[in-house]
Amino acid sequence: MYQLLDGKSMSATIKEELANEVRSLTAKGLRRPHLAAILVGDDGASQTYVASKEKSSHEVGFTSSVYRYSANTSEEELLRAIEFLNDDDEVDGFIVQLPLPKHINEQHIIQAINPDKDVDGFTPVNVGRMVLGEECFVPATPMGICTLLERYNIETEGKHCVVVGRSNIVGTPMANLMSRNRKGANCTVTLCHSRTANLPAITRQADILVVAIGKPEFVTADMVKEGAVLVDVGIHRIPDESKKSGFHLCGDVKHSEVDEHCSWVTPVPGGVGPLTIVSLLQNTMKAYRRHMNL
Ligand code: GUN
């Protein structure tokens, strides 16, 4: 029988910890941490994510602001918005929700963010610091996965961690973090992607399998070793007329056949997702403490 890595309940616990921290700060007369977000265009998933970040910010007592821009906004206008937030002393950290419309160069935008306010950990400075093992902001999704593994005391040292997917946001930082010489890591890591030959033969070697490939129910039972720890980063809306909402959610793993072979599993929803948001809040608290010299 497998056990759940329950991201939903863990995120509630961590939010309570953050809320207590904010209460003790405001009791001393200090202002609240402030997280801002820039949202461009009307991509449904991005709107949902930003709304969720805003709601969670308020739940822990942070100030939250969202700057909305139309899909045809120019790169120059976005760069001005970033400069404004870089200079705003009342803003501790901010994110630019991705993806951006095609006419905007994402790298130009990310590089303009002040690394000290880059709570997504996407700027070259923070990525470089992470790879060197220096103090930095770690991207929220891999950070959330590490928190889940650590707080559930999952044994990682000397294990083979296979990461499927090489995105800048999840797979690449995840592979780096799991290979580091620290508690909750110290793994031998294999990073697989869309061009990997004989993928099932590699994923079957995984003691810890992290799937972030962005394809619904891509990982099947034949790809997983008995007793593996399974982390599913995917979340997809599948049209489903039997649901009132018109869709159901699924991950990158076919849970109906895979879960029974695992020791630990992140459910979808309620696994990695809630921890991602909480990690962003933790990064914002860290940015705030640095900014306020606390
Ligand atoms: N798009 C998908 N995930 C993320 C994230 O963690 N941060 C931002 N800014 N955009 C995203």
Side-chain angles (χ1 to χ4, degrees):
M1 225 1 232
Y2 66 93
Q3 299 185 75
L4 283 184
L5 293 165
D6 184 348
K8 197 171 164 197
S9 80
M10 187 177 293
S11 82
T13 305
I14 297 175
K15 276 186 192 167
E16 201 43 53
E17 292 168 12
L18 284 167
N20 285 335
E21 211 173 328
V22 173
R23 273 191 284 274
S24 72
L25 291 163
T26 53
K28 289 183 203 149
L30 293 162
R31 71 163 172 82
R32 296 165 185 280
H34 183 171
L35 172 65
I38 294 177
L39 174 60
V40 187
D42 34 39
D43 176 70
S46 290
Q47 288 182 349
T48 308
Y49 291 140
V50 169
S52 187
K53 289 167 188 176
E54 197 177 18
K55 180 168 168 268
S56 300
S57 293
H58 289 145
E59 281 168 2
V60 300
F62 287 6
T63 304
S64 156
S65 43
V66 180
Y67 294 80
R68 292 184 171 81
Y69 291 85
S70 72
N72 57 18
T73 300
S74 68
E75 198 169 299
E76 289 68 35
E77 197 172 354
L78 275 188
L79 289 170
R80 277 196 296 275
I82 288 171
E83 211 172 307
F84 175 81
L85 291 174
N86 280 343
D87 292 343
D88 187 343
D89 205 42
E90 299 282 303
V91 170
D92 301 293
F94 66 96
I95 64 152
V96 179
Q97 186 64 34
L98 303 178
L100 291 170
K102 297 239 177 321
H103 67 279
I104 294 171
N105 183 322
E106 241 166 52
Q107 285 313 313
H108 287 171
I109 297 298
I110 289 170
Q111 283 168 20
I113 299 170
N114 175 351
D116 294 333
K117 294 194 176 187
D118 171 29
V119 285
D120 256 336
F122 288 173
T123 59
V125 168
N126 275 308
V127 175
R129 286 178 182 157
M130 183 192 68
V131 172
L132 293 169
E134 293 175 6
E135 177 60 28
C136 66
F137 292 113
V138 172
T141 302
M143 176 171 161
I145 296 169
C146 290
T147 302
L148 258 179
L149 298 176
E150 277 172 46
R151 291 202 180 202
Y152 271 98
N153 285 315
I154 303 295
E155 240 185 82
T156 56
E157 188 159 312
K159 303 289 183 194
H160 188 186
C161 176
V162 176
V163 179
V164 187
R166 58 179 154 186
S167 72
N168 288 343
I169 294 181
V170 187
T172 296
M174 190 70 213
N176 176 263
L177 291 169
M178 294 311 284
S179 72
R180 300 212 65 85
N181 183 359
R182 60 164 186 89
K183 192 176 163 287
N186 268 320
C187 287
T188 302
V189 175
T190 304
L191 180 56
C192 302
H193 47 74
S194 54
R195 297 292 183 274
T196 296
N198 207 359
L199 180 69
I202 299 172
T203 56
R204 271 199 300 273
Q205 294 172 28
D207 302 306
I208 300 165
L209 181 59
V210 180
V211 191
I213 191 88
K215 293 180 184 161
E217 300 195 327
F218 177 78
V219 168
T220 46
D222 58 304
M223 298 170 74
V224 179
K225 176 160 89 174
E226 210 61 35
V229 176
L230 177 71
V231 176
D232 185 355
V233 180
I235 184 146
H236 310 275
R237 283 184 177 192
I238 306 297
D240 183 345
E241 283 176 10
S242 74
K243 301 280 180 198
K244 213 167 89 188
S245 59
F247 65 87
H248 69 262
L249 294 173
C250 78
D252 286 353
V253 175
K254 197 165 185 186
H255 287 271
S256 58
E257 64 177 50
V258 173
D259 290 2
E260 60 188 291
H261 298 285
C262 300
S263 54
W264 293 91
V265 173
T266 61
V268 175
V272 174
L275 259 296
T276 296
I277 293 193
V278 151
S279 301
L280 180 67
L281 299 178
Q282 289 177 306
N283 276 347
T284 304
M285 178 59 88
K286 180 159 139 178
Y288 167 88
R289 286 192 172 277
R290 266 202 223 151
H291 186 179
M292 306 286 279
N293 290 314
L294 294 173

